[in-house]
Amino acid sequence: MSASNSTVDVSIIENTVGLLQLGGFANSILYGVNCVQAYTFYQHADKMKDDIILRSLVGVLWILNTLHVGFNIKTVNFYLVKHFNDVGALANTDWSLACQTLLTMISNFLVRMFFSYRIWIISRGSFLVTLPVAVLSFLSFSFGTTFAVESFIHRTFAAMHGISWLVYVPLAIASVSDICMTGALCYFLYTNRTGVRRTDSIINTLMAYCINASLLTTCINIACFVTFLALPKNYIFMAIFFCSSKLYFCSLLATLNARDTLRARSTAVSMPTLGAAHRLGADRGIEEAQTISTGFSSDQKDSVLPIDICVSVSTGTDSRTHDGSICSVGKSPG
């Protein structure tokens, strides 16, 4: 083999299976993060009184992402071991690639539907807001699943580029869906600000969680879209796409695992010498914060922690909470 041919071969390998291998490494690292997050979730599931549906959802997502890692290893083995130094094999796609695409679509769809349900809860059952987000999520899932089936039938990259619109459309819809979900969540959180510093601080934290999670997943979708469009013969879009399902799962688990900290902050809220209207507003703000952090309202779960708001009485040695219980305070000097 001549030096020039050797250089061309190395270049082809670096831009194809080399990037595929790097994507596999990143995918495995993120899977490790998911495992730690899932373990943390189940450790606190009893304390949070999570029902069987939420526990099952996390379990199903973990299984899907575990299978995804397995198929990812199969893909890397196909190109780097079974067809080592076989440049002709790079024109074909292994069936495990189609399986990874299908698993990614299912996993991401379940995560989006969970966030859509949270929007439905905090919007107090507004289908006008929730339905468009759910429809966008379903469309992205449908087009992505169709692409997975087509790529399983036609196992060449040439055929994949022939149906490239089935790549562009779900990625574009997924980006729009994520942005809409984040906008809706932030809007309803913002409208429930009470003007009380500590409750508003909790709501601001939740808004930051929503924006950061959506920003990451949206950037991944856009990066896949751009690289597939600009570098069609380069496997970098697959390396990025490999990490998509792990990042969506990571955003869901990060939100669930933050509930304990947020609830601890919410129970610390104390507002002396406030009127009844302010107290009711504060209770509403705490309720909304707990709803968005758990995904369930207090009507659906009995795990919302009680919050006693003490009102000082200038001439007495004790004060009473709004529900009639006594909260001891020190006697005013003089």
Side-chain angles (χ1 to χ4, degrees), residues 286-323:
I286 295 296
E287 172 69 13
E288 294 298 333
Q290 290 169 337
T291 298
I292 188 62
S293 65
T294 61
F296 298 94
S297 65
S298 59
D299 294 336
Q300 296 165 302
K301 288 180 69 70
D302 59 358
S303 59
V304 177
L305 301 179
I307 300 170
D308 289 337
I309 303 174
C310 300
V311 181
S312 299
V313 179
S314 60
T315 60
T317 59
D318 59 40
S319 62
R320 293 182 177 272
T321 63
H322 64 283
D323 60 357

Side-chain angles (χ1 to χ4, degrees), residues 30 107 121 125 129 155 214 234 237 243 267 276 332:
L30 290 173
S107 178
I121 290 295
V129 177
R155 298 185 184 178
S214 174
N234 195 303
F237 71 93
C243 303
T267 57
S332 301

Side-chain angles (χ1 to χ4, degrees), residues 176-226:
V176 173
S177 175
D178 291 346
I179 293 172
C180 289
M181 279 191 292
T182 303
L185 288 170
C186 290
Y187 169 77
F188 286 110
L189 283 171
Y190 184 81
T191 55
N192 282 284
R193 290 165 62 94
T194 63
V196 179
R197 182 180 300 176
R198 299 188 71 171
T199 50
D200 286 353
S201 175
I202 296 172
I203 292 177
N204 290 338
T205 301
L206 289 169
M207 291 173 64
Y209 273 119
C210 295
I211 293 172
N212 290 337
S214 174
L215 182 63
L216 186 60
T217 55
T218 301
C219 286
I220 285 292
N221 290 326
I222 293 175
C224 288
F225 184 96
V226 172

Side-chain angles (χ1 to χ4, degrees), residues 14 27 34 52 75 91 124 134 140 165 186 196 235-236 247 258 268 271 275 283 285 305 330:
E14 286 179 347
N27 186 46
N34 289 160
I52 189 63
T75 300
R124 296 178 175 83
S140 177
W165 67 275
C186 290
V196 179
Y235 286 6
I236 188 172
L247 292 173
M271 294 167 293
D283 285 342
L305 301 179

